Amino acid sequence: EKVAKELRNWVEEYANVGLGEAYLLMAVEDATHYDSAIKHFGIAKKANPKSIELQAILTGTANAELAKGNASGALRAADELVAAGKSARNADWELAGLKLKASIQLSEGNHADAARSYDSIVRMVTSALGAEDDPKRKRELERAQVEAGAAQGWVMMEQALASKSQADFDAARGYFTQLPAKFRNRPEALAAKTNAMGVIKLAAGDAEGARREFVDAEVRYFGVADEVARSLYYQAARLGTLGRATERSERLRELNAHYPRSAWPGTLK
């Protein structure tokens, strides 16, 4: 009887995870399916609150809630994933939950809270690194740490670009200036700093100085995909304002061909 019940719960759990993910995909064409996705993810979680699929369940729930315009519901799911990660001592769940939380906060224009979430990632990963002995896992965590640190700076930059406040630009400049030393001069930090100086120069009207920074980021830190993609985007944007259509198209072609999974393809037409 006990084995039969466990089997039923297992079948119910995995079937409903699959249904939730299917409805989430269908909702791209028909938003009425978001409710069904939330329902089935909820059934899966109830069938097994300690499911190894908990990250998929809560991430799917958060994405569906956010798509419906329910940011508070999305944040609850993200917070639940963070809490589950802490309870299970699962750094991947905790990291995923904090990243999810930051993205939700950014989508709502809440820069201050998003910056705090990225800072929480840096502190959480720093703690996890202290207890990690496996070299491969340490490298993965160190990369997550510096990427979160850079993301925190880009949230500050986004705030500055939105407010056009010199104080906000000064805060972003100060943050990025210190970033490489904070993260052991890793290429990810150096590339982010270079691009950030380009964005600040571009906003100040120094188009040629900005160009040099963006090209430097692209050439010197070619292994940092996210920052190379950012560089190509800003190069294309700048070339567009100068009316240099052929060069602009070439930058966009490189961006779309080589970095299709970055945040930038499709943001410039």
Side-chain angles (χ1 to χ4, degrees):
E1 180 65 30
K2 181 180 177 182
V3 172
K5 182 179 179 181
E6 289 176 350
L7 181 60
R8 285 196 301 271
N9 287 347
W10 182 87
V11 171
E12 187 173 29
E13 171 194 350
Y14 280 86
N16 280 284
V17 170
L19 283 168
E21 291 177 339
Y23 277 116
L24 200 55
L25 290 171
M26 292 165 62
V28 174
E29 300 293 335
D30 181 356
T32 62
H33 290 306
Y34 285 121
D35 283 329
S36 296
I38 293 167
K39 171 187 173 183
H40 287 286
F41 283 132
I43 293 171
K45 187 175 70 169
K46 185 177 180 180
N48 182 6
K50 296 183 179 180
S51 171
I52 62 171
E53 296 293 327
L54 195 60
Q55 181 176 333
I57 291 168
L58 292 172
T59 300
T61 301
N63 288 335
E65 292 283 15
L66 189 62
K68 286 182 59 185
N70 183 13
S72 61
L75 284 170
R76 280 196 300 274
D79 281 333
E80 191 174 342
L81 183 55
V82 172
K86 289 179 178 179
S87 177
R89 296 185 179 180
N90 186 325
D92 289 332
W93 283 3
E94 189 175 355
L95 179 60
L98 287 168
K99 284 183 176 180
L100 182 58
K101 188 172 181 177
S103 69
I104 295 165
Q105 289 161 336
L106 274 179
S107 73
E108 293 296 294
N110 194 336
H111 296 91
D113 282 349
R116 281 191 284 271
S117 291
Y118 283 120
D119 184 60
S120 293
I121 292 174
V122 172
R123 288 186 284 107
M124 184 276 289
V125 174
T126 300
S127 177
L129 277 167
E132 185 57 65
D133 295 321
D134 180 67
K136 180 180 178 181
R137 181 59 176 157
K138 287 192 80 163
R139 288 194 297 271
E140 291 172 350
L141 288 171
E142 285 170 349
R143 184 177 182 117
Q145 182 190 46
V146 69
E147 286 176 349
Q152 184 178 349
W154 286 118
V155 171
M156 296 171 68
M157 187 70 77
E158 189 174 319
Q159 174 64 38
L161 291 169
S163 70
K164 296 181 171 41
S165 160
Q166 187 58 49
D168 286 343
F169 277 113
D170 288 345
R173 182 195 299 274
Y175 182 89
F176 276 106
T177 297
Q178 298 176 35
L179 192 70
K182 184 177 180 180
F183 293 107
R184 307 167 298 282
N185 285 316
R186 285 181 61 101
E188 298 92 338
L190 290 163
K193 176 192 172 184
T194 305
N195 271 332
M197 296 306 110
V199 173
I200 290 170
K201 288 178 180 179
L202 192 62
D206 182 4
E208 179 56 25
R211 182 194 69 80
R212 288 195 296 269
E213 298 285 2
F214 296 138
V215 171
D216 195 30
E218 177 191 0
V219 174
R220 292 182 65 188
Y221 306 109
F222 57 88
V224 185
D226 286 346
E227 294 301 334
V228 173
R230 191 189 308 274
S231 165
L232 290 170
Y233 166 83
Y234 274 106
Q235 288 183 60
R238 174 190 165 277
L239 289 164
T241 64
L242 296 175
R244 292 158 65 174
T246 301
E247 293 169 88
R248 176 182 182 275
S249 295
E250 178 60 20
R251 296 280 83 75
L252 288 179
R253 186 196 67 75
E254 290 180 44
L255 174 61
N256 293 324
H258 300 298
Y259 305 98
R261 295 186 181 182
S262 75
W264 305 104
T267 55
L268 282 178
K269 300 299 182 182

